């Protein structure tokens, strides 16, 4: 153990990062910038080639950062998993989606651990960063590694550290977000603390790996439930003809005991719509109910349908049907300023509009194309003339580059799900 800690402190340890996506690439770059020799592993040859060619595909990492780290020889990427034999430490950053029945799908984690097990050697540190249910590290990963004849806490060190990165956030990044770490044994926590301590500004050790796993799920459940609450309040306000946005603004002037959350067209991204169900699945196995999680899931999951109701109402007021109307969806990424469309409510909205016979189009300055199976014509340039040709415009995600006011001037009906047109009153404007 002391050998590995000493290598980490001198930055002589060789680090591996498995999975070079939104989480793994910034982590690998962070380690490499701090002076470690880092190998990034991914199954996706295109990503590996792009990293080695210093072409970033992640918003938070610039080409210059890749040029610096790849150029100095501190970062290389590969699809050759046999090179895991050369590393002293591996961080696992692979996807953790939900399966068709909305149960956790940890097959990516199992495959990643399978690759590590093939190349396992004494004195290795393995840290899982993928969000998952409490118990995954000890119940799934540990046995896969121990069956190779190694003893956790003695021959290898195993920990969980939740990834809290917020893509596109200009203030908080992989390095300055406090890093929670929990090991399977005290030795495991200590070794992992020494890895992150070389790079992260603040490391927060917790007493167990299960606590570390649950920290992340609490954080994202907190967001999901509060967004669910405010979405329900928005529906109530809409029924009573009260402006929910003004209500929130008023409430947010309270200097204590209130934190504003905002309603919207539905949850998106790889975290908030998914992670709480990892917790509720495991809690149910332990005989515990997860009523808030289930209810928030229902309320948030119904928001895209509510948006369709608003489109229908708006068109109806103009004696039009959804069937045959030209509808433009503005903003298809799941949040402002990024290109990520995973779980984006815009995709559900486009699909439902199309099912109802609308002629769908979309505009998003960050997104070049829609995922397969979603109908919609791309509007690359949103000029007043182009906008005037639509029957309805739905603002789903705002981006700083988009002139929303122009939509109100030119679009016959505007459904604003984000309060982008704050302060405007018009018979053509329908707010969430
Ligand atoms: N995206 C976020 O904002 C965010 C924030 C916090 C936590 N997380 C969590 O981090 C984890 C990773 O998310 P992400 O957004 O980086 O996903 P991603 O899809 O952007 O990246 C995952 C990468 O892993 C690769 N991969 C899949 N299986 C592999 C394997 N067996 N070996 C090597 N590489 C493999 C994929 O090719 C992909 O490049 C998830 O558990 C997610 O919930 C994500």
């Amino acid at each position: 153990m002391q050998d590995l800690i000493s290598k980490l402190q001198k930055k002589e340890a060789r680090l591996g990062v498995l999975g070079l996506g939104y989480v793994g690439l910034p982590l690998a770059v962070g380690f490499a910038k701090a002076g470690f020799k880092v190998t990034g592993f991914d199954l996706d040859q295109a990503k590996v080639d792009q990293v080695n060619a210093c072409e970033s595909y992640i918003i938070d990492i610039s080409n210059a950062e890749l040029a610096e780290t790849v150029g100095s020889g501190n970062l290389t990427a590969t699809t050759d998993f046999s090179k895991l034999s050369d590393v002293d430490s591996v961080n696992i950053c692979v996807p953790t989606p939900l399966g068709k029945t909305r149960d956790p799908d940890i097959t990516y984690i199992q495959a990643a651990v399978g690759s590590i097990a093939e190349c396992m050697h004494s004195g290795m540190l393995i840290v899982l960063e993928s969000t998952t249910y409490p118990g995954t590290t000890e119940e799934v990963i540990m046995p896969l590694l121990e069956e190779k004849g190694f003893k956790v806490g003695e021959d290898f060190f195993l920990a969980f550290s939740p990834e809290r990165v917020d893509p596109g956030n200009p203030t908080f990044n992989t390095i300055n977000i406090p890093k929670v770490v929990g090991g399977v044994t005290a030795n495991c926590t200590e070794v992992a603390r020494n890895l992150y301590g070389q790079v992260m500004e603040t490391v927060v050790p917790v007493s167990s790996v299960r606590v570390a796993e649950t920290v992340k799920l609490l954080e994202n459940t907190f967001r999901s439930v509060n967004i669910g609450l405010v979405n329900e309040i928005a529906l109530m306000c809409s029924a009573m003809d009260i402006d929910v946005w003004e209500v929130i603004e008023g409430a947010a002037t309270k200097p204590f005991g209130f934190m504003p959350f905002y309603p919207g067209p539905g949850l998106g991204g790889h975290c908030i719509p998914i992670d709480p169900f990892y917790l509720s699945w495991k809690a149910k196995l332990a005989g515990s109910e997860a009523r808030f999680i289930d209810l928030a899931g229902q309320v948030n999951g119904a928001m895209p349908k509510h948006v369709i109701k608003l489109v229908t109402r708006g068109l109806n007021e103009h004696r039009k049907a959804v069937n045959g109307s030209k509808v433009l969806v503005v903003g298809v990424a799941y949040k402002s300023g990024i290109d990520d469309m995973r779980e984006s409510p815009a995709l559900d909205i486009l699909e439902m509009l199309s099912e109802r016979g609308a002629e769908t189009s979309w505009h998003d300055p960050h997104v070049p194309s829609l995922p397969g199976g979603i109908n919609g014509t791309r509007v690359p340039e949103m000029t007043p003339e182009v906008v005037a040709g639509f029957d309805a415009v739905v603002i789903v995600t705002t981006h700083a580059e988009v002139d929303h006011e122009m939509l109100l001037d030119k679009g016959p009906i505007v459904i604003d799900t984000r309060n982008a047109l704050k302060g405007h009153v018009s018979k053509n404007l329908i707010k969430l």
Side-chain angles (χ1 to χ4, degrees):
M1 168 176 151
Q2 280 314 324
D3 269 9
L4 181 54
I5 290 180
S6 157
K7 272 172 136 181
L8 289 166
Q9 289 175 344
K10 291 188 206 148
K11 298 188 179 158
E12 288 170 359
R14 293 193 61 98
L15 310 185
V17 174
L18 250 165
L20 295 173
Y22 287 92
V23 165
L25 185 62
L27 185 68
V29 168
F31 284 147
K33 274 181 156 180
F36 283 102
K37 292 269 184 265
V38 185
T39 308
F41 297 86
D42 206 293
L43 297 170
D44 185 340
Q45 185 69 51
K47 279 186 181 158
V48 164
D49 291 344
Q50 276 179 279
V51 171
N52 291 331
C54 306
E55 288 165 11
S56 180
Y57 47 87
I58 298 286
I59 184 167
D60 295 329
I61 297 296
S62 64
N63 290 349
E65 282 172 299
L66 285 183
E68 177 195 333
T69 47
V70 174
S72 66
N74 278 5
L75 177 63
T76 51
T78 183
T79 52
D80 177 2
F81 288 69
S82 70
K83 291 197 172 139
L84 280 164
S85 307
D86 303 335
V87 301
D88 300 296
S89 163
V90 197
N91 292 68
I92 304 172
C93 308
V94 296
T96 44
L98 292 173
K100 283 206 173 89
T101 51
R102 301 195 68 74
D103 286 347
D105 172 2
I106 58 161
T107 51
Y108 294 89
I109 294 181
Q110 288 165 312
V113 175
S115 309
I116 297 169
E118 294 286 302
C119 302
M120 188 78 178
H121 55 82
S122 196
M124 235 175 154
L125 168 66
I126 293 138
V127 190
L128 178 64
E129 296 219 5
S130 301
T131 306
T132 184
Y133 59 79
T136 309
T137 312
E138 283 172 324
E139 294 162 14
V140 179
I141 300 183
M142 194 173 84
L144 287 171
L145 298 174
E146 284 202 324
E147 71 186 23
K148 294 277 160 186
F150 296 98
K151 181 95 189 87
V152 72
E154 293 171 19
D155 305 321
F156 74 101
F157 307 96
L158 179 60
F160 181 86
S161 179
E163 179 51 67
R164 298 159 139 179
V165 73
D166 179 20
N169 188 320
T171 313
F172 294 107
N173 54 51
T174 305
I175 306 304
N176 67 7
I177 298 172
K179 197 81 177 112
V180 168
V181 181
V184 172
T185 68
N187 282 353
C188 297
T189 309
E190 189 51 19
V191 177
R193 196 176 66 79
N194 272 280
L195 165 69
Y196 291 120
Q198 310 313 316
V199 181
M200 314 301 182
E201 289 175 11
T202 314
V203 181
V204 186
V206 294
S207 69
S208 73
V209 73
R210 279 165 190 263
V211 168
E213 288 164 333
T214 314
V215 161
K216 174 74 187 176
L217 299 177
L218 168 62
E219 290 167 9
N220 283 356
T221 299
F222 171 83
R223 289 191 61 74
S224 168
V225 167
N226 279 289
I227 294 168
L229 171 67
V230 82
N231 275 334
E232 191 163 74
I233 300 266
L235 299 183
M236 293 177 203
C237 284
S238 167
M240 295 183 287
D241 203 18
I242 297 168
D243 184 338
V244 69
W245 304 95
E246 200 182 343
V247 172
I248 298 166
E249 205 174 289
T253 59
K254 186 179 177 189
F256 52 89
F258 183 84
M259 181 192 250
F261 281 84
Y262 298 96
L267 297 181
H270 185 36
C271 294
I272 317 282
I274 293 172
D275 301 350
F277 295 103
Y278 270 70
L279 180 56
S280 63
W281 178 82
K282 187 69 179 183
K284 279 173 193 161
L285 285 184
S288 181
E289 285 295 312
R291 285 170 293 172
F292 278 105
I293 293 177
D294 290 344
L295 186 56
Q298 280 167 27
V299 174
N300 293 328
M303 290 311 287
K305 240 185 198 159
H306 179 66
V307 175
I308 300 299
K309 253 194 203 167
L310 298 181
V311 177
T312 311
R313 192 180 94 197
L315 288 169
N316 197 41
E317 280 165 10
H318 286 72
R319 297 168 179 266
K320 290 180 183 174
V322 174
N323 194 347
S325 285
K326 291 184 176 164
V327 184
L328 173 67
V329 169
V330 176
V332 294
Y334 81 86
K335 69 171 183 175
S336 296
I338 63 164
D339 61 357
D340 192 349
M341 276 182 291
R342 288 178 297 176
E343 311 287 325
S344 174
L347 304 180
D348 289 338
I349 290 168
L350 280 166
E351 215 172 347
M352 283 190 272
L353 286 169
S354 181
E355 275 164 16
R356 285 158 178 74
E359 254 182 65
T360 50
S361 299
W362 60 278
H363 170 79
D364 192 311
H366 291 264
V367 176
S369 60
L370 293 179
I374 308 289
N375 289 328
T377 306
R378 181 170 178 235
V379 173
E381 198 66 32
M382 226 173 36
T383 61
E385 296 70 37
V386 169
V387 171
F390 288 95
D391 299 299
V393 177
V394 190
I395 302 171
V396 174
T397 299
T398 54
H399 292 296
E401 301 85 343
V402 175
D403 177 1
H404 297 103
E405 316 243 321
M406 180 269 277
L407 297 174
L408 194 55
D409 292 343
K410 299 293 172 196
I413 303 157
V414 179
I415 288 83
D416 180 5
T417 70
R418 297 285 187 183
N419 203 23
L421 293 163
K422 182 180 168 187
H424 288 268
V425 181
S426 157
K427 63 176 176 35
N428 284 350
L429 175 61
I430 298 180
K431 284 192 189 178
L432 187 75

